[in-house]
């Protein structure tokens, strides 16, 4: 991360401004919050391909609630949508005995399809402009979205570091069979992990929703890839059981720095996607190489 900051300072004078650094934190708060949830799932040895679609559907559900019934209705409606979809993923994986890849791939298509059905491909507008303070507002010079990210990071770090839930998630990722034999309800822990992930995706979706003041069918398209990359770059093992949730935040910042530098250099958005894919491959390769050397 420090290396990327150094590169940015050298390559682009525009990068050196305080406003640009704060803007990086604000822009990547959505990825960072999603990465906290994805980190919980990755710890168990799984990934969630439906994360971006869940974010989009949360926005579609929350927008009319914000518009017609107020902030509380939109907030709870959005959070319930995200947590509910995460819960469904967890139940299908554990009780239906369907692999996480197939389950979350299916949920990705279902949620995104629901978004297109509800919107008809046309943006749903009407989020009150005063709610924009959540997505784009500041307290002093610090973006509100970045503060929400920081609070979520502290809470999740505490949960994973100091509670049984956190230790159980690490244990399941290390060896699910050994965890079950030790008396851990592995199915319950997985369900909780996916529900937490859906809940955090909902928070990210609400931030995005209040940032643009509308819901669009292509919202958060492909975000799950950036989020997975952030977790892996941050040191979380793709096989589960290893890594620190703080690393997901560092990884999100690194991804944000890379994209910010590419944008300041005028690199095409197509190349930005290619770079993201390359980073995922390299990060997983480094993780595999490291594990092989240890063995």
């Amino acid at each position: 991360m420090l290396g990327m900051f150094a590169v940015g300072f050298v390559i682009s004078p525009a990068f050196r401004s305080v406003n640009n650094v704060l803007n990086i934190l604000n822009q990547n708060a959505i990825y960072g919050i999603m990465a906290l949830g994805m980190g919980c799932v990755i710890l168990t040895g799984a990934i969630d391909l439906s994360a971006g679609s869940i974010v989009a559907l949360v926005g579609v559900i929350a927008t009319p609630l914000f518009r017609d019934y107020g902030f509380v209705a939109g907030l709870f409606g959005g959070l319930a949508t995200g947590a509910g979809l995460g819960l469904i993923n967890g139940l299908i994986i554990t009780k239906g005995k369907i692999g996480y890849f197939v389950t979350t791939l299916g949920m990705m298509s279902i949620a995104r399809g629901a978004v297109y059905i509800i919107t008809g491909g046309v943006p749903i507008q009407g989020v009150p402009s005063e709610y924009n303070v959540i997505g784009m507002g500041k307290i002093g010079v610090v973006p509100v979205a970045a503060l929400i990210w920081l609070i979520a990071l502290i809470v999740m770090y505490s949960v994973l570091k100091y509670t049984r839930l956190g230790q159980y998630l690490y244990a399941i990722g290390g060896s699910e069979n050994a965890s079950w034999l030790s008396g851990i309800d592995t199915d319950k822990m997985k369900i909780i992990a996916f529900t937490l992930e859906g809940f955090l995706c909902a928070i990210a979706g609400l931030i995005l929703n209040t940032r643009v003041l509308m819901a669009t069918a292509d919202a958060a398209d492909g975000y799950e890839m950036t989020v997975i990359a952030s977790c892996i770059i941050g040191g979380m093992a793709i096989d589960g059981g290893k890594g620190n949730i703080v690393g997901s935040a560092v990884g999100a910042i690194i991804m944000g720095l890379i994209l910010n530098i590419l944008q300041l250099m005028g690199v095409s958005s197509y190349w930005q996607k290619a770079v993201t894919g390359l980073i995922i491959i390299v990060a997983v390769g480094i993780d595999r190489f490291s594990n092989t050397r240890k063995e």
Side-chain angles (χ1 to χ4, degrees), residues 23-36:
N23 188 47
I24 291 172
L25 293 176
N26 187 43
Q27 286 180 341
N28 290 280
I30 293 172
Y31 293 124
I33 293 171
M34 291 176 67
L36 295 176

Side-chain angles (χ1 to χ4, degrees), residues 36 40 149-163 166-167 170 200 243-248:
L36 295 176
C40 291
W149 180 14
L150 176 61
I151 292 170
L153 174 60
I154 293 172
V155 171
M156 291 308 301
Y157 174 81
S158 299
V159 168
L160 294 176
K161 178 82 173 175
Y162 300 112
T163 70
Q167 299 308 305
Y170 275 99
L200 287 160
N244 191 317
I245 200 69
V246 175
S248 71

Side-chain angles (χ1 to χ4, degrees), residues 60-214:
V60 167
I61 298 299
T63 294
L65 293 175
F66 279 138
R67 181 187 62 209
D68 300 332
Y69 300 101
F71 180 77
V72 174
L75 176 65
F76 281 97
L79 293 177
T81 298
L85 292 174
L87 174 62
I88 292 171
N89 275 337
L91 288 171
I92 293 174
I93 292 167
T94 57
K95 305 305 180 183
K97 305 301 180 183
I98 299 175
Y100 66 83
F101 184 87
V102 173
T103 298
T104 60
L105 181 64
M107 181 60 75
M108 177 179 71
S109 297
I110 292 170
R112 186 65 65 175
V115 168
Y116 276 100
I117 291 170
I118 295 171
T119 64
V122 179
I124 301 177
Q125 302 184 4
V127 178
S129 58
E130 57 265 29
Y131 299 167
N132 188 242
V133 67
I134 297 173
M136 292 298 291
K138 294 182 178 180
I139 296 178
V141 297
V142 181
V144 172
L147 283 176
I148 295 173
W149 180 14
L150 176 61
I151 292 170
L153 174 60
I154 293 172
V155 171
M156 291 308 301
Y157 174 81
S158 299
V159 168
L160 294 176
K161 178 82 173 175
Y162 300 112
T163 70
R164 286 186 179 182
L165 170 62
Q167 299 308 305
Y168 287 171
L169 293 181
Y170 275 99
I172 291 170
S175 174
E176 182 175 350
N177 189 47
S179 299
W180 181 79
L181 290 171
S182 299
I184 298 173
D185 189 339
T186 55
D187 283 356
K188 179 181 178 181
M189 294 301 108
K190 285 183 177 181
I191 291 170
I192 291 174
F194 274 94
T195 303
L196 268 176
E197 199 258 347
F199 182 81
L200 287 160
C201 281
I203 295 176
L206 291 171
I207 292 175
L208 178 61
N209 191 229
T210 55
R211 179 172 293 178
V212 299
L213 299 179
M214 67 176 72

